[in-house]
Amino acid sequence: MDNYTIPAEVRLTETHEYIRVEDGRALIGISHVAAERLGDIVYVDLPENGQTIEKGETFGSVESVKAASDLYMPVSGEIISINTQLADEPDLINQDCYGDGWMIEVEMSNPDELNSLLTAKSYMDFVENAAENS
């Protein structure tokens, strides 16, 4: 595992999605662990603006040279923006997953769902434990 720094304000899921809430906006993407495991990402399938998706439901998928993987909502909410830059530059996810590689912006319908997500430290503990037990 590399020594990638997860921003302190980020919360994560055991399926490797992250959410960062700033000024009432919730940006969602995949973690550096997921991007690293997938390898070079070549395509991203994202939902339309205005869709409402529940926590745990699929909101899209990513394809890499190695595999395709579904993306799961870390919280319930309405899609208010998608990162259109990923259509032409899906490798932004590999380069800067927590920055320019964000995928969707959501208006959360239940901000309390954030409390069920992992902190950066608990996420890295989960990843390390999973690696040891595989």
Side-chain angles (χ1 to χ4, degrees):
M1 190 63 48
D2 65 10
N3 290 322
Y4 206 100
T5 302
I6 301 172
E9 70 277 9
V10 166
R11 294 291 175 263
L12 302 108
T13 68
E14 291 184 359
T15 53
H16 307 288
E17 290 81 16
Y18 75 81
I19 183 168
R20 179 175 49 223
V21 180
E22 295 176 346
D23 302 324
R25 302 173 358 169
L27 294 179
I28 295 173
I30 62 170
S31 73
H32 68 286
V33 172
E36 194 175 82
R37 288 179 180 171
L38 283 166
D40 294 333
I41 295 172
V42 295
Y43 178 74
V44 183
D45 180 33
L46 297 174
E48 299 290 321
N49 284 339
Q51 275 189 268
T52 298
I53 304 175
E54 295 298 314
K55 178 181 178 176
E57 289 182 355
T58 304
F59 73 84
S61 63
V62 290
E63 293 178 22
S64 71
V65 293
K66 291 182 185 176
S69 186
D70 285 337
L71 302 166
Y72 299 96
M73 285 290 281
V75 296
S76 302
E78 180 183 344
I79 311 299
I80 55 174
S81 180
I82 60 169
N83 187 348
T84 56
Q85 200 173 357
L86 297 178
D88 295 325
E89 300 176 75
D91 62 323
L92 284 173
I93 297 166
N94 296 105
Q95 296 168 24
D96 187 16
C97 65
Y98 299 113
D100 291 339
W102 65 275
M103 296 178 175
I104 59 174
E105 184 178 353
V106 174
E107 185 175 311
M108 294 183 290
S109 55
N110 184 0
D112 288 342
E113 289 174 339
L114 290 169
N115 297 329
S116 67
L117 302 176
L118 302 170
T119 64
K121 182 183 181 333
S122 59
Y123 173 74
M124 290 311 300
D125 290 345
F126 164 77
V127 169
E128 288 166 14
N129 288 337
E132 288 171 9
N133 294 323
S134 64

